[in-house]
Amino acid sequence: MMFQKILVAFDGSEGSWKAFDFALELSALCKKNGYPEIYVLSVVRPPEPIEIVEMEAVIDAATTHYEEQFRKIAAKVKDKDLVLHTDILTGNPADQIVRYVSETKCDVVILGHRGKSRVEDWLLGSVPKRVSSYAPCHVIIVK
């Protein structure tokens, strides 16, 4: 199977860097049909309850963090034959990832495994589980 549009859900964690490296390897295998496109999406989860001033500060700090991470990603793919797109959205990560993959018509979503405990997973929810349930394409979870 050839993937021409690959989405990496990226939060800057070790798991998301592993997912990005896997996307690079996968894109190298998919060059036969043209240059693959890699979409890197980061989602800022707003604080709850939402305080306008606090939310703006959280979004500004997260945006600055992700822009720095995107510069590292751009440097990593500088000499590779692929098209790189980066975006930052705000909201529920799983919902935003599913919406984004539908809009961009990506062929596959790659997420890093975060290694949360079962209690953390139960309390916070599992983004990979929700994305794999609702995404209209293949989903790969990288460990």
Side-chain angles (χ1 to χ4, degrees), residues 41-79:
L41 174 64
S42 295
V43 180
V44 179
R45 184 187 294 258
E48 293 183 21
I50 294 175
E51 300 281 338
I52 298 299
V53 174
E54 182 180 343
M55 186 169 85
E56 288 177 9
V58 168
I59 291 171
D60 287 347
T63 300
T64 300
H65 169 74
Y66 288 131
E67 287 172 347
E68 177 61 30
Q69 298 293 309
F70 290 168
R71 280 191 283 277
K72 292 177 183 175
I73 287 171
K76 198 169 188 171
V77 302
K78 183 179 176 185
D79 298 328

Side-chain angles (χ1 to χ4, degrees), residues 71-139:
R71 280 191 283 277
K72 292 177 183 175
I73 287 171
K76 198 169 188 171
V77 302
K78 183 179 176 185
D79 298 328
K80 305 207 181 290
D81 291 329
L82 58 85
V83 179
L84 178 68
H85 306 271
T86 56
D87 282 301
I88 302 170
L89 299 177
T90 302
N92 177 290
D95 294 345
Q96 293 291 22
I97 292 166
V98 170
R99 186 178 64 79
Y100 189 85
V101 75
S102 296
E103 289 175 0
T104 57
K105 302 193 181 325
C106 285
D107 304 311
V108 61
V109 179
I110 303 174
L111 302 106
H113 185 266
R114 297 192 67 183
K116 292 189 294 188
S117 70
R118 287 184 182 203
V119 173
E120 287 174 313
D121 201 36
W122 179 73
L123 288 172
L124 302 173
S126 169
V127 172
K129 184 177 179 181
R130 292 177 65 188
V131 171
S132 66
S133 295
Y134 298 107
C137 63
H138 299 285
V139 176

